[in-house]
Amino acid sequence: MKEYTHPDLSDVTLSAAMQTLADPARVAILRAVIASDTGEIACNEIPLQLSKATVSHHFESLREAGLIQTRVVGTKCLSSLRREEFEARFPGLLDLVLGEKTGA
Amino acid sequence: MKEYTHPDLSDVTLSAAMQTLADPARVAILRAVIASDTGEIACNEIPLQLSKATVSHHFESLREAGLIQTRVVGTKCLSSLRREEFEARFPGLLDLVLGEKTGA
DNA sequence: TCGAATGTTTGATTTTTGTCGAACAATCTG
DNA sequence: CAGATTGTTCGACAAAAATCAAACATTCGA
């Protein structure tokens, strides 16, 4: 549908990353990505009671924070974690967030 | 001046902690606390161009996130890190934030 | 080619956050 | 006690963030 741009991790500030990860909805999205069979997930497969506009915005936030990358496949766009890159930039942060009990 | 309450770290959510640490001004306060000789610092000793009302609010945020503890000494109140407790609750998080280059 | 599926974008609204000045409260000191 | 010092609290306000519905764009499939 459109071309997505993915920032270089060196351009992502810790504050920005923290802010992005501070929202439970976005963490839920990350969990859903990980829980998927393929490691990729489409916007409409997210288990959240949010409008698709809102979900789209959250995906954009995650993209800008260097947490996910998105590719277009037909009419859908599949997002996956940029785990290694993010880990290299902010060691331990992602595991800390994902390891937490849901809802925390 | 007043009695401060400090939450049990088990009542602090990761989201709340992340949100608190996502603000550069609050991180700057934490750095100032650490850089102090005694490990304690008063509100008015913070190297920030912010009104005392704003600084007071930031201290409150840090307190509610379990990051600092504050005690009253005469007319001033001295705040110090709850480093071990916070570390036990969110391992690695504080070091991640403090290790980052200023301004990030 | 037409309709269905999938997201994005726009415009609007509501909430939350950061900020300040001014008034207030508590405590020390002279 | 009077004044100075140190913070807190109270409005107020602006900026940012989260949210939605509706309109739009793109692509797949029949």
Side-chain angles (χ1 to χ4, degrees):
Chain A
M1 308 179 67
K2 102 170 212 186
E3 282 312 302
Y4 295 97
T5 63
H6 300 100
D8 195 277
L9 264 294
S10 60
D11 291 330
V12 178
T13 67
L14 177 57
S15 286
M18 300 276 288
Q19 177 133 345
T20 298
L21 290 170
D23 187 317
R26 286 190 283 261
V27 174
I29 291 178
L30 293 182
R31 288 186 203 283
V33 172
I34 291 182
S36 70
D37 290 339
T38 62
E40 292 184 307
I41 204 171
C43 281
N44 66 334
E45 302 176 44
I46 301 300
L48 294 174
Q49 308 308 312
L50 297 171
S51 74
K52 59 182 182 174
T54 301
V55 171
S56 183
H57 278 307
H58 282 316
F59 268 91
E60 187 183 20
S61 294
L62 290 166
R63 220 175 289 122
E64 290 175 346
L67 281 157
I68 63 172
Q69 59 201 156
T70 307
R71 69 190 180 98
V72 179
V73 177
T75 94
K76 47 175 50 176
C77 46
L78 301 178
S79 295
S80 55
L81 273 190
R82 297 178 65 181
R83 193 188 267 274
E84 289 185 15
E85 292 171 279
F86 194 86
E87 173 65 20
R89 176 71 178 89
F90 304 113
L93 183 53
L94 192 50
D95 285 344
L96 197 66
V97 172
L98 296 175
E100 194 77 355
K101 289 273 188 301
T102 302
Chain B
M1 307 177 67
K2 103 170 211 185
E3 280 314 301
Y4 295 98
T5 63
H6 300 100
D8 195 277
L9 264 294
S10 59
D11 291 330
V12 178
T13 67
L14 177 57
S15 286
M18 299 276 287
Q19 178 128 348
T20 298
L21 290 170
D23 188 315
R26 287 189 283 261
V27 174
I29 291 178
L30 293 183
R31 288 186 202 282
V33 173
I34 291 181
S36 71
D37 290 339
T38 62
E40 291 183 308
I41 205 172
C43 279
N44 67 334
E45 302 175 43
I46 300 301
L48 294 174
Q49 308 307 312
L50 296 171
S51 74
K52 58 182 183 174
T54 301
V55 171
S56 182
H57 279 306
H58 282 316
F59 268 91
E60 187 182 22
S61 294
L62 291 166
R63 218 175 291 121
E64 290 175 348
L67 280 157
I68 62 171
Q69 58 200 158
T70 306
R71 70 191 180 95
V72 178
V73 177
T75 93
K76 44 175 54 179
C77 46
L78 301 178
S79 296
S80 56
L81 272 190
R82 297 177 66 182
R83 192 188 268 274
E84 289 184 15
E85 292 171 278
F86 194 86
E87 173 65 20
R89 175 71 178 87
F90 305 115
L93 184 53
L94 192 50
D95 286 343
L96 198 66
V97 172
L98 296 176
E100 194 75 359
K101 288 275 188 300
T102 302

